[in-house]
Amino acid sequence: MGEPDFGAPPAVRAELQRIAGSHTPLPYTGALGLPALREAIAGFYQSAHGLSISPERVVVTAGASAALLLLTAALVDPGDEVLVGDPSYPCNRQFLSGFGADVRLVPTDASSRFQLDLSAVQRHWSTRTSGLMIATPSNPTGTSVPRAELAAICDWAHAHGAWRIVDEIYLNLSDVDAASGQPAQTALAFDPGACVINSFSKYFGMTGWRLGWAVVPDELVPAMERLAQNYYICASSPAQMAALACFTPESIAVCEARKQEFAERRALVLQGLEDIGLPVPVRPDGAFYVYIDVSGTGLDAMRFCERALQEAHVALTPGHDFGSCGAAKHVRLSYAASQSDLREGLARLKRFVATV
């Protein structure tokens, strides 16, 4: 599953225990989130990305999904055309469709790292295009859009009056940028008018806490506040209060060590797949996924996953879950599991593939 196995950093768990045992009331927070947490998130952009963000632009949400819910409700009118890459995380396009968008899935392949590029955006743009959504790094491929390419796409969309939603929930699990030698950068660094989504679920390992955020242009904040008030009032008060401990040096050090562990797991998985003879068309550079080409086995992705589950008890995800382009030949592996479990899974997969 796309769920880190570490859980919340120790200091965050300890803070939640303290809050639960304090017998203090836990009232609703403001719809935009605790002011202290909004300030802490803004400070994280400064420390992690060297970018000054006003806390007033930060909207704390009940998970990144709620951030996307609010943004979609604020930006999409029925019939609006929205460009989304194929393959991509299916819930993103379902939010858009749920508010009446005409989602135009843009085919991608290994040549563009299974991501939108400017050329594809320009080819599929129409007079009805109102916005685009990009996830970088992405689920299911674990690949990122190169910074210069993402800047060019955002510039094009902005010049054509379209909004940009950039899903960055795996941003802080990205490799150092190969071109600049610097940490991966948020789209806000070159497109301050973009709407970015992030989460406490991946880098901080807090999936079940249901806590995320969006950074939006100033003029969108009032709409986001009204929508949050009506949809869910506010994100969980104890989760918000405990999440303040995410941004201590102690917790950041824990998360950075876990990021290194993910890199080691990725290396283990890539080597294991090479030994099995299952090619990875594009090496991932973030998140915790590998997108595998299984066409050489003679099975399509759905059948491959069904048989791997039934015969080897290995759970993989077929490309059909993420779109239609290349879906029949690709399978997603998540390495959000221990190295011992990954070794066992790879050994089972090797025996299975040998029988196909």
Side-chain angles (χ1 to χ4, degrees):
M1 293 181 65
E3 182 168 18
D5 59 326
F6 304 114
V12 179
R13 295 199 300 270
E15 182 63 10
L16 183 64
Q17 291 174 333
R18 186 197 66 77
I19 293 165
S22 67
H23 305 294
T24 58
L26 294 170
Y28 299 129
T29 71
L32 296 173
L34 280 174
L37 185 57
R38 297 170 72 193
E39 291 174 5
I41 292 169
F44 184 59
Y45 280 92
Q46 182 66 61
S47 61
H49 304 289
L51 192 64
S52 179
I53 297 290
S54 168
E56 299 300 315
R57 295 176 56 198
V58 177
V59 181
V60 179
T61 58
S65 296
L68 183 55
L69 169 70
L70 300 184
L71 282 171
T72 306
L75 295 172
V76 172
D77 288 321
D80 285 353
E81 182 178 85
V82 182
L83 303 188
V84 179
D86 181 0
S88 57
Y89 182 58
C91 294
N92 287 0
R93 72 182 74 112
Q94 300 294 3
F95 273 109
L96 295 165
S97 298
F99 283 90
D102 178 8
V103 179
R104 188 168 188 179
L105 291 178
V106 178
T108 67
D109 57 26
S111 67
S112 66
R113 303 177 51 76
F114 296 109
Q115 289 279 9
L116 289 178
D117 59 16
L118 179 59
S119 175
V121 168
Q122 291 173 333
R123 289 196 310 273
H124 289 84
W125 201 270
S126 80
T127 56
R128 295 176 49 244
T129 304
S130 298
L132 54 82
M133 181 183 296
I134 297 176
T136 176
S138 89
N139 177 8
T141 64
T143 62
S144 302
V145 182
R147 175 174 174 165
E149 193 73 29
L150 182 58
I153 293 170
C154 290
D155 285 347
W156 168 272
H158 179 252
H160 288 76
W163 48 259
R164 292 81 61 207
I165 296 177
V166 184
D167 177 345
E168 297 184 341
I169 68 172
Y170 298 103
L171 176 66
N172 297 102
L173 291 177
S174 299
D175 292 350
V176 169
D177 182 74
S180 67
Q182 299 297 314
Q185 185 58 278
T186 171
L188 296 172
F190 45 80
D191 185 2
C195 302
V196 304
I197 295 170
N198 211 315
S199 175
F200 288 87
S201 293
K202 310 303 181 180
Y203 178 71
F204 295 108
M206 296 166 60
T207 50
W209 297 61
R210 305 316 304 133
L211 202 59
W213 74 83
V215 181
V216 302
D218 290 322
E219 61 269 22
L220 200 55
V221 172
M224 298 284 281
E225 182 174 26
R226 290 193 299 273
L227 289 164
Q229 287 168 339
N230 283 277
Y231 283 150
Y232 56 83
I233 301 178
C234 68
S236 161
S237 297
Q240 290 189 66
M241 294 165 67
L244 287 166
C246 286
F247 302 102
T248 65
E250 172 192 359
S251 291
I252 295 298
V254 167
C255 293
E256 286 297 304
R258 293 173 173 182
K259 178 179 175 179
Q260 179 57 38
E261 169 66 16
F262 277 133
E264 294 173 8
R265 294 177 181 184
R266 179 175 60 195
L268 185 159
V269 167
L270 290 174
Q271 183 60 57
L273 293 171
E274 183 178 339
D275 293 344
I276 296 169
L278 291 175
V280 177
V282 183
R283 180 185 174 92
D285 61 341
F288 34 71
Y289 307 111
V290 179
Y291 210 45
I292 309 163
D293 184 345
V294 299
S295 59
T297 67
L299 301 176
D300 76 358
M302 187 70 75
R303 186 62 179 148
F304 184 95
C305 290
E306 288 174 345
R307 287 190 55 183
L309 183 62
Q310 293 165 0
E311 299 172 29
H313 300 159
V314 174
L316 301 162
T317 311
H320 302 77
D321 282 11
F322 304 101
S324 58
C325 181
K329 62 186 292 188
H330 291 103
V331 165
R332 189 199 77 172
L333 180 153
S334 169
Y335 53 87
S338 69
Q339 293 194 33
S340 61
D341 281 352
L342 291 170
R343 288 191 182 93
E344 175 65 20
L346 289 164
R348 293 185 185 193
L349 198 57
K350 185 173 184 177
R351 292 193 293 270
F352 163 69
V353 170
T355 69
V356 174

